[in-house]
Every structure is written in structure tokens, then in C-alpha cells.
């Protein structure tokens, strides 16, 4: 099967006015050769000039609102894309980030990508808000299915989903793995699945942190979609998870971000007759 889209998804922690860091980050992103990419935690207008310089011919869209951190999406020139900002993912709280929905048309076939940066917290409110955001995504999938001529939309949900579980009390806490398992099970009910990754952990605060590396960034996709294997998985995780020593990982995190860069290749579907 031929490629439909090569997509990159990356939480670049507090991405703002730092020209040296912006150049490094965008250089790494450019090396991934994405047709479509999303950056999370964009905070400053200082990234505009290096972004345009690194990705000439791309079109860009950024979420807007009272939240501090935005989602920025880039689409390669020549692709037809339709953006919409989805306020329902704020769950009535203006400080939360809206979703960014991009529908790209390739060879007559529509692919809808929902980029999310969900609530970050391991307290009961955080877990509850994340679950509500996930349920909104699954209801959107059902709405798109209803509009699809084949009955199943080409739908993906991706981003920093912050699956950190619940840290509450003995017998009540929820392990991160349990939250991920529930997310996977709920996705299955609407015909979606969690894609495999080349590295299990996507976030780290470094070797001196009291927090262990965590599996926070994910890609969910309609079950019928096919992906090119990358490093033995459907999603390749680049950056600090690929480095062999703690010193190398710490240096990469300090220079770039505490999250790894996710890349995948969605394979082309045949247009309906």
C-alpha cells in the first residue's frame, strides 16, 4: 500500500521565545519529514519566524482561547485540509485546551485527525476530566461514522493524552496502565484501537527526577486503517527514548523537550466508487 500521510506529534514543553531551542526542535521535526504535524504547549509568538523558515510552503493553524498552551498544526503544501477548533474538549473549563480537528483529503479519501492535549493531573478531578475528554472524542467518532458513506470514518485521535492514572489512596488509586487499558477498551467500543509504539515510555523528567518515565503520548485509530511498520511498531518514538545512557537522555531532554517525538505513516485507502 502507498503512503497517505506521514504524521508527527510532539509535546514541546513550554515552546516559546528561545531562538536556539526553536531551531533545534524544528530541525528535529523537519528531519522526521512529516506531511502533517502537531506541536503541543506552544506558548510564544517567538516560534513563528523559525517555524515558517523551517517549513516553507506549509499551512499552519493554532488553537486560541484563554488557555496558555496552544496546539499548533502544520500541513504540507499541496494537501487539502479543513481545520476546526473543537471547544467541547474544554469540558466547560476555559483553562483547558480545545481540540484541533484536521480533515485531510488524499486521492479522494478523507482522513480526520483530532489532536488533543488532555488534562494533566493524577488527582480525581484530573482523571475525571480526561475521561470526559476521551468520551467526547468517541462521540465525535460516532458522529463521523454516521456521515461516512462506508459507515466507518477514517478517524485518528493523537497527542499528549496524559494517561497518568489516579494517585489518591490505597485501594482507590488507579495505575497509569489501568487508565490506558480503559482508554483502549473504550476505544474498541467505537471501532478504534490503540496503536503500538516503538518505545513504551514517551515522557521523562530526567534521571534525577523522583518520577519514573511515563507512557503519556498515544495514537488511536479506526480499526480498519493500516500503518507502515516503523522500528517494529506502528508508531515510532524518537528522541530521548532512543538514547542508551542516562547522561545522553538528560542532555536531550534539557535541550529539546521532556516528551519524545511520535511519527507514523498512514497507508492510503482506495476511494469509494
Amino acid at each position: 500500500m502507498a503512503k497517505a500521510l506521514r504524521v508527527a506529534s510532539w509535546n514541546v514543553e513550554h515552546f516559546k521565545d528561545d531562538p536556539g531551542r526553536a531551531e533545534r526542535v524544528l530541525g528535529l521535526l523537519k528531519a522526521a519529514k512529516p506531511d502533517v504535524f502537531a506541536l503541543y504547549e506552544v506558548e510564544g509568538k517567538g516560534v513563528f519566524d523559525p517555524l515558517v523558515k523551517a517549513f516553507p510552503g506549509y499551512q499552519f493553524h493554532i488553537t486560541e482561547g484563554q488557555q496558555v498552551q496552544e496546539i499548533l498544526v502544520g500541513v504540507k503544501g499541496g494537501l487539502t485540509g479543513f481545520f476546526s477548533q473543537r471547544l467541547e474538549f474544554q469540558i466547560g473549563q476555559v483553562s483547558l485546551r480545545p481540540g484541533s480537528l484536521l480533515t485531510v483529503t488524499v486521492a479522494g479519501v478523507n482522513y480526520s485527525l483530532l489532536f488533543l492535549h488532555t488534562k494533566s493531573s493524577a488527582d480525581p478531578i484530573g482523571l475525571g476530566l480526561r475521561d470526559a475528554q476521551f468520551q467526547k472524542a468517541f462521540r465525535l467518532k460516532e458522529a463521523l461514522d454516521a456521515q461516512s458513506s462506508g459507515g466507518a470514518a477514517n478517524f485518528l485521535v493523537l497527542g499528549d493524552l496524559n494517561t497518568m492514572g489516579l494517585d489518591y489512596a490505597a485501594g482507590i488509586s488507579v495505575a497509569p496502565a489501568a487508565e490506558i487499558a480503559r482508554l483502549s477498551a473504550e476505544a474498541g467500543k467505537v471501532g478504534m484501537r490503540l496503536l503500538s509504539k516503538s518505545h513504551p515510555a514517551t515522557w521523562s523528567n530526567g534521571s534525577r527526577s523522583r518520577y519514573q518515565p511515563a507512557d503519556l503520548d498515544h495514537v488511536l485509530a479506526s480499526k480498519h486503517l493500516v500503518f507502515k511498520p516503523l522500528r517494529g511498531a506502528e508508531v515510532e518514538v524518537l528522541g530521548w527514548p532512543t538514547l542508551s545512557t542516562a547522561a545522553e537522555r538528560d542532555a536531550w531532554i534539557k535541550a529539546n523537550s521532556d516528551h519524545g517525538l511520535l511519527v507514523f505513516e498512514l497507508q492510503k485507502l482506495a476511494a469509494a466508487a
Side-chain angles (χ1 to χ4, degrees):
M1 298 176 71
K3 180 193 75 171
L5 294 170
R6 184 173 171 88
V7 181
S9 176
W10 193 9
N11 183 331
V12 182
E13 180 189 26
H14 302 302
F15 195 36
K16 50 186 176 182
D17 304 342
D18 183 340
R21 182 182 181 222
E23 185 175 347
R24 289 192 304 273
V25 163
L26 294 173
L28 291 167
L29 182 61
K30 186 175 182 179
K33 300 180 180 179
D35 299 309
V36 172
F37 65 81
L39 296 174
Y40 313 88
E41 294 201 22
V42 176
E43 294 182 3
K45 63 182 180 180
V47 305
F48 176 80
D49 287 338
L51 180 71
V52 172
K53 181 179 179 181
F55 292 93
Y58 280 65
Q59 300 297 313
F60 305 102
H61 178 268
I62 191 166
T63 54
E64 295 182 293
Q66 297 184 39
Q67 68 281 349
V68 174
Q69 300 169 341
E70 306 291 355
I71 302 173
L72 185 148
V73 179
V75 180
K76 191 174 183 179
L79 290 173
T80 299
F82 186 90
F83 291 98
S84 63
Q85 178 164 293
R86 308 297 300 218
L87 297 179
E88 68 264 35
F89 291 96
Q90 292 183 304
I91 316 295
Q93 300 196 28
V94 296
S95 62
L96 291 181
R97 294 161 284 260
S100 183
L101 180 65
L102 168 69
T103 299
V104 181
T105 304
V106 180
V109 177
N110 293 332
Y111 303 90
S112 296
L113 299 93
L114 176 64
F115 302 98
L116 289 180
H117 186 185
T118 64
K119 175 65 176 177
S120 174
S121 175
D123 63 19
I125 292 176
L127 179 64
L129 286 172
R130 278 197 304 280
D131 188 65
Q133 289 172 311
F134 297 151
Q135 294 305 319
K136 292 286 187 183
F138 299 144
R139 300 295 80 76
L140 177 57
K141 167 63 162 57
E142 292 177 326
L144 292 174
D145 285 347
Q147 298 171 16
S148 173
S149 59
N154 305 318
F155 185 55
L156 300 96
V157 179
L158 60 155
D160 179 4
L161 302 188
N162 276 315
T163 46
M164 54 187 65
L166 170 64
D167 185 8
Y168 191 61
I172 303 175
S173 295
V174 176
E179 182 179 358
I180 294 170
R182 171 175 163 76
L183 174 62
S184 180
E186 292 295 300
K189 295 177 182 179
V190 294
M192 300 187 74
R193 63 188 183 85
L194 196 62
L195 301 191
S196 62
K197 298 195 294 283
S198 60
H199 293 82
T202 63
W203 174 89
S204 173
N205 201 30
S207 61
R208 297 185 179 182
S209 173
R210 65 187 180 94
Y211 297 106
Q212 294 296 309
D215 187 6
L216 302 184
D217 304 85
H218 304 279
V219 182
L220 296 124
S222 296
K223 288 182 177 180
H224 65 271
L225 295 178
V226 179
F227 299 84
K228 179 181 177 179
L230 300 174
R231 303 291 180 183
E234 293 166 304
V235 179
E236 183 175 10
V237 183
L238 303 174
W240 70 262
T242 68
L243 302 175
S244 56
T245 70
E248 289 175 318
R249 292 191 291 271
D250 288 349
W252 195 96
I253 290 166
K254 182 177 180 181
N256 301 295
S257 176
D258 51 3
H259 288 256
L261 167 62
L262 274 59
V263 179
F264 62 88
E265 282 196 15
L266 173 61
Q267 301 298 280
K268 190 180 295 183
L269 297 176

